[in-house]
Amino acid sequence: MIPPVLKVREVRHAYGERIALNGVSFEVNEGEIFTLLGPNGGGKTTLFRILTTSMEPGSGDALIFGLSIVSEFTAVRKKIGVVFQEPSLDPKLTTLENMIHHGHFYGMRGRPLRDAAIALLDTFNLANRAEHLTETLSGGLRRRVELAKALLPSPALLFADEPSTGLDPGVRLEFAAEIQRLRSERRITFVLTTHFIEEADQSDQVGILHEGNLVALGKP
């Protein structure tokens, strides 16, 4: 039996008296696209921040490739890629400069970093935008750069928090197709959050979060 890539165990969190997560548990297997679906305020973003080690849970734990997000968070960060809901590109840097700057956080340097960044930009049809300031790109192109940047350190697990927010329907479809391609070609495991039902329908597994509770879990 191949162990799950992600194993969430009774994760709880509260903001004062408001319970954001009430004992959430689930597993994600290698190569799966797992989507957390639910309305705003349901707990998706809180769980996303906890799983990506941006904040600690009130209680419970999660294992990523067997590593605890609580006690081994530094090692976890080296294993994952993250696409945040809010833009994380520097608008005054070029597309390539944003890629290289991100690679430095992972200890990547020199020609290998530059070559890997250019190769990813080419993969996402962004090679002709490498020297453009990211503030000049459309929302869809900036989202592609975000995804390319997250893939630069070659993570086997990628988290994306409402990655299609602000994109028009056509670009959302392109982005969903890109995720399917990466899963097929690179065997990357994805954990996504969304409130779009049609996006969850493209997943292998869906977990529905409502008021901090995982009220449903299974195939779309």
Side-chain angles (χ1 to χ4, degrees):
M1 290 289 291
I2 300 175
V5 168
L6 170 64
K7 186 173 184 178
V8 182
R9 303 185 300 192
E10 289 293 319
V11 169
R12 301 175 186 273
H13 197 79
Y15 299 101
E17 295 185 357
R18 184 177 72 84
I19 297 175
L21 296 170
N22 189 25
V24 173
S25 298
F26 60 88
E27 295 182 0
V28 181
N29 295 314
E30 181 185 358
E32 283 188 336
I33 298 174
F34 182 95
T35 298
L36 286 164
L37 175 68
N40 292 332
K44 302 188 306 297
T45 296
T46 296
L47 182 57
F48 181 90
R49 290 173 178 167
I50 288 171
L51 295 180
T52 57
T53 74
S54 296
M55 59 187 289
E56 291 187 7
S59 64
D61 200 356
L63 300 179
I64 294 178
F65 298 106
L67 300 168
S68 165
I69 62 167
V70 175
S71 61
E72 300 171 284
F73 59 88
T74 300
V76 167
R77 289 174 182 173
K78 296 178 181 179
K79 298 280 189 180
I80 64 175
V82 184
V83 177
F84 295 100
Q85 183 176 353
E86 298 298 324
S88 62
L89 301 174
D90 188 323
K92 298 302 182 183
L93 295 180
T94 67
T95 299
L96 181 58
E97 287 170 342
N98 268 281
M99 295 284 288
I100 290 174
H101 184 59
H102 185 70
H104 290 161
F105 287 120
Y106 288 85
M108 303 173 72
R109 294 287 186 273
R111 176 60 64 177
L113 168 57
R114 186 178 181 85
D115 289 347
I118 291 173
L120 273 170
L121 291 179
D122 186 54
T123 296
F124 286 92
N125 296 317
L126 292 165
N128 62 338
R129 306 292 186 128
E131 301 303 327
H132 291 199
L133 297 179
T134 55
E135 68 181 359
T136 67
L137 303 181
S138 68
L141 290 178
R142 286 197 298 270
R143 218 57 178 139
R144 284 191 201 174
V145 179
E146 296 268 14
L147 184 53
K149 182 166 68 75
L151 291 170
L152 188 57
S154 299
L157 172 61
L158 192 142
F159 292 92
D161 188 18
E162 304 205 15
S164 60
T165 296
L167 302 182
D168 62 51
V171 177
R172 282 211 309 267
L173 289 174
E174 289 181 9
F175 193 82
E178 202 62 57
I179 288 174
Q180 293 286 350
R181 182 185 68 80
L182 290 168
R183 187 266 294 271
S184 299
E185 294 181 3
R186 299 196 182 194
R187 198 62 181 168
I188 296 174
T189 304
F190 287 89
V191 176
L192 315 174
T193 72
T194 189
H195 54 265
F196 293 115
I197 292 177
E198 63 270 23
E199 288 185 0
D201 193 43
Q202 304 301 312
S203 306
D204 299 298
Q205 280 199 87
V206 177
I208 299 179
L209 272 176
H210 179 64
E211 296 183 351
N213 295 288
L214 191 65
V215 296
L217 178 65
K219 295 182 181 300

